C-alpha cells in the first residue's frame, strides 16, 4: 500500500503523513528533507543554488545531514525550493524516492510531487491545503518554539515566495494529482485533520 501526501509548506502534510504511517504501520519518508539536505550542502560548500551544476554536485550529500537541525531552518527551505526547480536535481533524487515508495509492505511519502511523479500508482493520494496566513502562523509558532525570531511578516513572505516558485516551475510543479482527495486543514485541529485523512484514505482503499 502506497500513500502519497502532497501540499505546500506548513499545510499539515508532514504531521498527517507521520500519523498515517503510524496508523497503517508502514515507513514514512519526508521527501522535503532530501531537497533540504541538498540545499544545506550547497550553503555549506558556498555553491550557487541557482546554478544547476552546483546544485547537482550537492546531491551526493552526507547522509548524516538528514539528522541536522539546520535542515528545518527557514533559510534552508528557501534554498531547497531554488535547488528543487532544477530538473537534474529532481532526477538525481528520483530513484531513491521511487524505491522507498515501492518497498514491500508499502510506505507513506510526503512532498510536492509524490502523487504525480514519484508514485502515480499510489493506492491513496491526498493533497493537503491551508490558507497562506494560517500556514504562516503555524510556521511562525514553530520557529519561535525553536528560538528563531524571524518575524511573522517575513515568514508569510517566505511562504508566498516558496509557493510561487514550487507551483510555477516547469518540472514536477506543486499541483494536485487528478485523482487526489483534497483536504483543507485551515480550521481543523491536528486530531480532526488526521481523522479526516484516515477516512479519505479508507475511502480509497
Ligand atoms: O516540504 P518542505 O517544506 O520541507 O520542502 C522544502 C522544499 O523542497 C519545497 O519548498 C520544495 O521546493 C522542495 N520539495 C520538492 N519536492 C518534494 C519535496 C520538497 O520540490 N517532493
Amino acid at each position: 500500500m502506497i500513500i502519497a501526501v502532497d501540499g505546500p509548506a506548513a499545510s499539515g502534510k508532514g504531521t498527517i503523513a507521520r500519523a498515517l504511517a503510524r496508523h497503517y504501520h508502514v515507513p514514512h519518508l519526508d521527501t522535503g528533507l532530501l531537497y533540504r539536505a541538498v540545499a544545506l550542502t550547497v550553503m555549506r560548500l558556498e555553491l550557487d543554488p541557482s546554478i544547476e551544476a552546483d546544485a547537482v554536485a550537492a546531491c551526493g550529500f552526507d547522509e548524516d545531514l538528514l539528522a541536522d537541525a539546520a535542515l528545518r531552518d527557514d533559510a534552508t527551505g528557501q534554498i531547497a525550493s531554488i535547488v528543487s526547480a532544477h530538473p537534474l536535481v529532481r532526477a538525481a533524487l528520483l530513484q531513491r524516492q521511487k524505491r522507498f515508495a515501492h518497498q514491500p509492505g508499502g510506505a507513506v511519502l510526503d512532498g510536492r510531487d509524490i502523487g504525480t511523479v514519484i508514485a502515480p500508482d499510489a493506492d491513496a493520494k491526498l493533497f493537503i491545503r491551508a490558507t497562506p496566513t494560517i500556514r504562516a502562523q503555524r510556521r511562525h509558532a514553530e520557529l519561535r518554539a525553536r528560538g528563531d525570531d524571524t518575524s511573522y511578516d517575513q515568514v508569510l513572505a517566505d511562504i508566498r515566495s516558496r509557493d510561487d516558485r514550487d507551483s510555477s516551475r516547469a518540472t514536477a510543479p506543486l499541483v494536485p494529482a487528478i485523482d487526489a482527495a483534497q483536504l483543507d486543514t485551515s480550521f481543523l485541529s491536528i486530531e480532526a485533520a488526521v481523522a479526516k485523512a484516515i477516512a479519505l484514505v479508507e475511502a480509497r482503499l
Side-chain angles (χ1 to χ4, degrees):
M1 176 180 66
I2 304 174
I3 303 177
V5 184
D6 289 303
S11 56
K13 66 183 187 309
T15 304
I16 287 172
R18 277 190 300 277
L20 288 171
R22 265 197 310 276
H23 184 79
Y24 291 107
H25 305 288
V26 292
H28 163 238
L29 179 64
D30 170 355
T31 63
L33 288 184
L34 304 178
Y35 293 95
R36 286 171 178 268
V38 174
L40 201 54
T41 303
V42 161
M43 291 158 84
R44 292 193 173 157
L45 295 178
E46 297 184 7
L47 298 170
D48 182 343
S50 62
I51 296 178
E52 186 162 40
D54 275 19
V56 168
C59 287
F61 55 79
D62 180 349
E63 291 292 311
D64 291 346
L65 262 196
L66 294 173
D68 196 309
L71 279 191
R72 313 268 175 194
D73 291 350
D74 218 40
T76 312
Q78 287 295 326
I79 302 295
S81 120
I82 296 172
V83 297
S84 72
H86 298 303
L88 292 179
V89 168
R90 307 201 70 84
L93 300 178
L94 184 72
Q95 285 313 321
R96 176 184 188 146
Q97 297 174 78
K98 278 189 175 278
R99 259 198 318 277
F100 191 95
H102 296 92
Q103 64 188 292
V108 179
L109 290 85
D110 74 86
R112 304 290 187 290
D113 63 341
I114 309 303
T116 50
V117 175
I118 305 298
D121 55 339
D123 300 283
K125 300 181 185 178
L126 300 183
F127 192 87
I128 314 297
R129 298 180 178 282
T131 66
T133 50
I134 286 179
R135 290 189 283 126
Q137 283 164 19
R138 290 176 185 163
R139 182 52 56 89
H140 185 234
E142 210 176 285
L143 290 172
R144 281 187 78 134
R146 290 180 42 199
D148 182 329
D149 61 2
T150 309
S151 72
Y152 169 79
D153 287 346
Q154 183 62 49
V155 174
L156 179 60
D158 287 350
I159 281 203
R160 288 194 196 278
S161 73
R162 207 133 70 87
D163 281 358
D164 284 348
R165 220 182 284 121
D166 291 347
S167 309
S168 63
R169 67 181 175 221
T171 309
L174 171 67
V175 284
I178 195 149
D179 50 349
Q182 306 224 14
L183 173 57
D184 190 325
T185 66
S186 299
F187 303 106
L188 296 178
S189 65
I190 291 179
E191 295 72 24
V194 167
K196 282 212 170 191
I198 292 173
L200 288 170
V201 170
E202 287 295 316
R204 292 187 171 238
L205 293 182

